Amino acid sequence: MKGPFTCRRRGPLRGAFEVPGDKSVSHRSLLFAALAEGETRVRGLLRAEDVHSTWKAVERLGARVREEGSEVVVTPPARLSEPEDVIDCGNSGTSLRLLAGVLAGVPGLSVLTGDASLRRRPVRRVVDPLRAMGAVLHARDGDRLPPLVIQGRPLRATHHVLAVASAQVKSAILLAGLSADGETVVEEPALSRDHTERMLRRMGADLRVDGLRVSIRPSRLHGGEVDVPGDISSAAFFLCGAAAIPGSEVTARGLGTNPSRTGLLDVLRAMGADVVVANERESAGEPRADVTVHGGPLEGVTIEGALVPRLIDELPVIMVLATQAVGRTLIRDARELRVKESDRLAVMGEALAAAGARIELFEDGCAIEGPTPLCGVTVRTRMDHRVAMSMAIAQLLAPGGETVLDDVACVDTSFPSFFPILERLSERA
Ligand code: S3P
């Protein structure tokens, strides 16, 4: 869908939906398969623009990617080659940062760039550790912003202590460590999503996890099968919408329930929502389940510390949910929200305040007093898919209101079926 969009739906939300493939796992499946020996068959790959950026990038590095029915098969090159042209990562920070880690060890010159939003997002966090490993990197504006130019080199194994919990930075370093000359170690201050560790280990990497410390030795990866779980960051919009609207009952089927990603379920329970987890299973190293949420009264909660990386991408829609909870919801330690596809604290703060929420912003979070009825608003989405989808959910809470999203093309970066599912679960206002 392109251009402006007027949301005119109302709750309650009712029904079940199949959650589309997890974006983080989808990126990793294509990229790691391109580094492996032998083919990899991926089931449930997310078909969305961000993952397409990684798909194009691995093809540019010499991999072949083909569709076979609903599966995607990756045939790696004998060895990754210097790309002939600039690699455009579009809107995808994960593509850019993970590719940086891979390309740091590939002899030759690579240039990574992206759209206007990605070119405003920080890269110093990968430049510094990869330089310490011996790669030569340059970026715009004093090495702060993409484009990123990488001269790949034989890499030294080093020890990195991260200032922020970031799965993208952790993964970039681990991927560089695959070809370094010894043991590479990354320590993070809190656990960020661990899909890289799980998938690399399954593919044969010599990787060890000890609490918040991950180490990797040079390894050969082997292709195989990947089964992508449903993306909790996408399901979150409907789970939060259902929790906030009495009379709702929504089931997300095949939801990824990796504990490093399920902070949202903990928050829903702490707010008093009825959350039922059924049919728990594990496939290709990632747990999944069917999760049902019922609407009901909610209470404000505090979200801070180690919980934040476990729900970082869900915070925009949690901010919407908080407007309906009784009392104060406090979000702290979430400064990272300011360097996502947009400054999500500022953009969501402005949109929710315009819709009637009582919200106070801090440098690292916000406080929201609820419950407040919301009204329809015109939202500048700033090319941020999660802002657009969160405000479409906010419109459900604006009785009789219309919300105009100035541009919904961004939704296709992660969740092209968002509006069709919303239509199916809700009613016309
Ligand atoms: C991601 C990690 C997170 C998250 C992003 C996807 C990943 O970013 O916000 O949407 O796939 O590794 P950070 O690593 O910057 O926290």
Side-chain angles (χ1 to χ4, degrees), residues 24 28 94 97 125 165-168 193 312-313 336 340:
S24 294
R28 286 159 174 78
T94 307
R97 299 199 181 105
R125 49 184 64 197
S166 163
Q168 294 178 356
R193 62 195 67 192
I312 187 75
D313 291 342
E336 278 294 293
K340 295 296 179 187

